[in-house]
Amino acid sequence: MKKNHDLLPLMDAIKEYDEKDVIPFDVPGHKHGKGTKELVDFFGERVMRIDVNSMKCLDNIGNPVSVIKEAQDLLADAYGADHAFFLTNGTSSGVQAMIMSACQAGDKVILPRNAHKSAINALILGGITPVYVQPEMDENLGIAMGVTLDKIREAIAINPEAKAVFLINPTYYGASSNLKAIVELCHKNDMAVLVDEAHGAHLHFHEELPMSAMEAGADMSAVSLHKTGGSLTQSSGLLLKEGIIDKNRVKTIINLTTSTSASYLLMASLDGARKILATRGREILCEKLELVRWARKEINAIDGMYAFSTELVDKEGVFSFDETKLGINVSKLGLTGFQAYDILRDEYNIQMELGDIYNVLGIVSLGDSKDAIEALVDALKDISLKYKKEEFKCDLLALENPEVVIIPRDAFYMEKKILPLTDSVGEISGEYIMAYPPGIPILSPGERITKSIIDYIEVLKTQKSVLTDNHDPSGEYIKVLKHNNVRSIAI
C-alpha cells in the first residue's frame, strides 16, 4: 500500500512532547536549555527544548517500535527499499555497517581504490581483506571516475570467494558506473552489492539523474541526506533490500557503534528531509538542474575554464553523470584547483566543496538559489580576467593502486616506527594519509609506499592541501611498520 509522505511521525511526536512542557529529570543536563543561557542565545530556545533523549513516547533508535520505526519505514518507501535505518554518525557509519553486515573476518570485499576512508575503516574493524579495482582516470581532468563492468568481472573471476562488491554512486565529481549491469553480474555470482551513495541522496527523485542503488537492485546503500537531501549535518540513512543480507544482522552491526543517546535533532531532520524529497523532490531538482545547466553554459564561455558534464558519458568509467556536481577545470587559467578554491573563498566570499590539482567542485542542491549561482559565475569571470596565464600541468596525477602487503587490520595493530616521508620508499605504511575533502586515502595501513606516492603528497603539501589522519599534520614524517619483512597477503 502506498504510504502517505505528508506524514512526519517523529517530528510530530517531538512537537507534542515539547508542547506538554514536561519537567525533566532525565538527560541532557541543560534541561531544555534552562541551565545554559549562552546556548539558548546562540541556538535559539526551540532547538534547546527539543534536544531530548530517548523515552517511551519518542521511541529508541537501538530497537525502534513506534515513531522512529514509522519514520524509517517512510524513508525506505521513499527510496524503494524494504528497510531503512536512521544514522546519526553520517554515512561513514553506514558504509561500515554495510561492509560488516555482508562480510565476516577473513572474507574478501571487492572495492574501488577511490573509496572513502570509512570503507577502509570497516576493513580494520571487521578484519576484512580488500580486493582493489582501479577506477578509470580522466587524465585531462586529473580525477578518478567510476569502475567498468569488465574490471568488476575480472575481479570476480580472480576472487570468486569474495562476499561483496562495494561501489560508489556517484563519485564526488558526479561519475556513475553501469550500476544495474554490475548488480546483475554480482548477483549471478552470489555476491552482495553495497553502494556508497554519500553524494547521491537526491538521485532517486529525478529521472534525468543517474540511477539510484535501490532502483538498480543493490542490496544496500548508504545515503547522505545531509549532503544533498536537506537534513542536518551528520544525519544519513541506510537502505536495505531483502534477500542476501539479514535486516537483524544490520541492526546489530549498527548498534555496535551507534550512540544510545542518538540526537533527536538529527533524526527529526531526516524525517523532514524525507518528506521534502518524496513530495517535492522532482519539482525542486528540475529547478536546480535548470540553474546548473545555465551555469555550465556561462562558465564554458569563460576563457580558460571548463565545467564538465554529461559529455563525459560513454567514456571509460562514466556510464551516466550527475549534473548537480559542478566541477570546474581551471588548469588552462594557469591556476591549480587549490588556488582557485582559496581565491573564491578569500576574495569573493564563496565557499566551494573542494579544490584539487586541476579543479574546483561545487555541490548544487536543494538550497541553492539563482542569486548564488550568478555570484559564482560572476566571480569566475573576474578570476579569468585577473589571473589568466600559461596553462598549468602536473605529471603526478594518475596514481595506481598501491600494493596491499598485509590487511588493514593487521597493519593497524602492528608496531610502528616514524620515518621522514622522503626516506620511506619501500616501507609499509602504518597509517592513513589523505587530503580532505574528499577523504579518499592516498595511503592506507598495510600498503607499500612508492616514490610516486611520496611525490604526489609533496605536490599536495606545496598547494597547502589539508592532510588528515596522519600523525604529523605537516606531512614531513610518516608511521611505517617496524618490521618490513612481512609476507604479502594473497589477493
Side-chain angles (χ1 to χ4, degrees), residues 358-395:
Y358 282 167
N359 313 284
V360 286
L361 176 67
I363 305 295
V364 177
S365 55
L366 278 63
D368 285 293
S369 66
K370 185 177 181 181
D371 287 346
I373 295 286
E374 288 177 344
L376 174 61
V377 170
D378 289 344
L380 293 172
K381 289 177 180 177
D382 199 43
I383 288 170
S384 176
L385 293 173
K386 290 180 178 177
Y387 289 93
K388 180 107 173 44
K389 54 188 182 223
E390 187 178 344
E391 180 177 0
F392 171 78
K393 277 289 189 182
C394 178
D395 297 325

Side-chain angles (χ1 to χ4, degrees), residues 2-13 15 70-71 73-75 77-78 205 268 270-281 283:
K2 186 173 177 60
K3 292 187 180 292
N4 180 3
H5 283 284
D6 286 319
L7 296 176
L8 292 165
L10 184 55
M11 286 183 70
D12 286 345
K15 181 180 178 183
E70 291 169 25
D73 288 347
L74 284 165
L75 182 66
D77 184 74
F205 302 96
L270 288 169
D271 200 19
R274 180 270 313 156
K275 176 185 174 180
I276 293 167
L277 289 170
T279 60
R280 296 192 291 119
E283 171 193 344

Side-chain angles (χ1 to χ4, degrees), residues 80-147:
D82 294 315
H83 305 283
F85 304 87
F86 282 175
L87 304 172
T88 57
N89 196 25
T91 294
S92 292
S93 65
V95 166
Q96 292 167 8
M98 287 195 296
I99 292 175
M100 293 170 67
S101 294
C103 303
Q104 299 183 35
D107 287 342
K108 290 182 180 180
V109 60
I110 297 168
L111 71 166
R113 186 53 181 76
N114 61 330
H116 188 263
K117 73 170 186 177
S118 57
I120 317 301
N121 286 344
L123 307 182
I124 292 172
L125 291 170
I128 298 159
T129 300
V131 176
Y132 289 124
V133 175
Q134 179 70 36
E136 301 303 309
M137 291 292 301
D138 187 308
E139 293 186 4
N140 292 322
L141 298 175
I143 57 178
M145 297 301 188
V147 294

Side-chain angles (χ1 to χ4, degrees), residues 445-459:
E447 295 177 347
R448 184 81 68 188
I449 303 168
T450 64
K451 185 177 185 304
S452 63
I453 289 172
I454 293 172
D455 289 344
Y456 185 77
I457 294 169
E458 291 296 333
V459 169

Side-chain angles (χ1 to χ4, degrees), residues 173-450:
Y173 296 91
S176 285
S177 304
N178 188 350
L179 194 57
K180 189 173 181 64
I182 293 174
V183 168
E184 291 171 355
L185 171 66
C186 293
H187 285 172
K188 285 179 183 177
N189 287 273
D190 298 320
M191 294 182 188
V193 180
L194 319 172
V195 183
D196 177 354
E197 282 189 316
H199 291 275
H202 58 300
L203 298 183
H204 196 75
F205 302 96
H206 200 288
E207 69 279 2
E208 293 179 27
L209 295 171
M211 183 180 289
S212 71
M214 290 296 102
E215 188 179 359
D219 299 283
M220 295 186 76
S221 69
V223 290
S224 288
L225 277 90
H226 71 94
K227 284 186 168 69
T228 60
S231 66
L232 295 180
T233 295
Q234 204 172 305
S235 59
S236 295
L238 186 60
L239 308 172
L240 171 68
K241 277 191 180 290
E242 290 180 348
I244 295 176
I245 300 171
D246 178 64
K247 68 176 182 182
N248 291 316
R249 175 171 171 79
V250 176
K251 184 171 73 172
T252 300
I253 296 294
I254 291 173
N255 284 339
L256 286 176
T257 55
T258 294
S259 170
T260 53
S261 302
S263 168
Y264 276 84
L265 294 173
L266 299 185
M267 290 190 287
S269 78
L270 288 169
D271 200 19
R274 180 270 313 156
K275 176 185 174 180
I276 293 167
L277 289 170
T279 60
R280 296 192 291 119
R282 188 183 185 281
E283 171 193 344
I284 295 170
L285 287 166
C286 281
E287 296 172 1
K288 305 315 168 187
L289 284 170
E290 183 179 345
L291 276 177
V292 79
R293 287 166 181 167
W294 174 84
R296 278 195 170 88
K297 183 179 177 182
E298 293 292 312
I299 293 167
N300 285 331
I302 300 173
D303 189 19
M305 293 193 183
Y306 168 43
F308 47 92
S309 185
T310 54
E311 71 279 357
L312 300 178
V313 172
D314 294 333
K315 291 187 176 182
E316 289 294 305
V318 190
F319 181 77
S320 55
F321 189 84
D322 176 11
E323 294 177 72
T324 69
K325 306 296 187 290
L326 184 55
I328 306 161
N329 186 286
V330 296
S331 60
K332 286 186 167 55
L333 278 180
L335 294 175
T336 68
F338 298 114
Q339 291 169 330
Y341 174 95
D342 287 343
I343 291 167
L344 282 163
R345 183 194 59 224
D346 297 341
E347 298 184 24
Y348 299 90
N349 204 31
I350 293 174
Q351 181 63 57
M352 301 298 281
E353 175 68 12
L354 66 79
D356 62 27
I357 296 291
Y358 282 167
N359 313 284
V360 286
L361 176 67
I363 305 295
V364 177
S365 55
L366 278 63
D368 285 293
S369 66
K370 185 177 181 181
D371 287 346
I373 295 286
E374 288 177 344
L376 174 61
V377 170
D378 289 344
L380 293 172
K381 289 177 180 177
D382 199 43
I383 288 170
S384 176
L385 293 173
K386 290 180 178 177
Y387 289 93
K388 180 107 173 44
K389 54 188 182 223
E390 187 178 344
E391 180 177 0
F392 171 78
K393 277 289 189 182
C394 178
D395 297 325
L396 301 172
L397 296 170
L399 289 176
E400 295 295 320
N401 289 346
E403 177 194 359
V404 180
V405 182
I406 61 173
I407 66 170
R409 174 190 263 184
D410 290 350
F412 183 83
Y413 285 108
M414 286 180 69
E415 194 174 358
K416 317 288 193 309
K417 62 183 179 181
I418 296 174
L419 290 178
L421 178 68
T422 52
D423 294 343
S424 64
V425 174
E427 300 286 344
I428 302 167
S429 179
E431 64 178 348
Y432 289 111
I433 295 186
M434 67 189 79
Y436 186 85
I440 295 168
I442 302 162
L443 270 173
S444 292
E447 295 177 347
R448 184 81 68 188
I449 303 168
T450 64

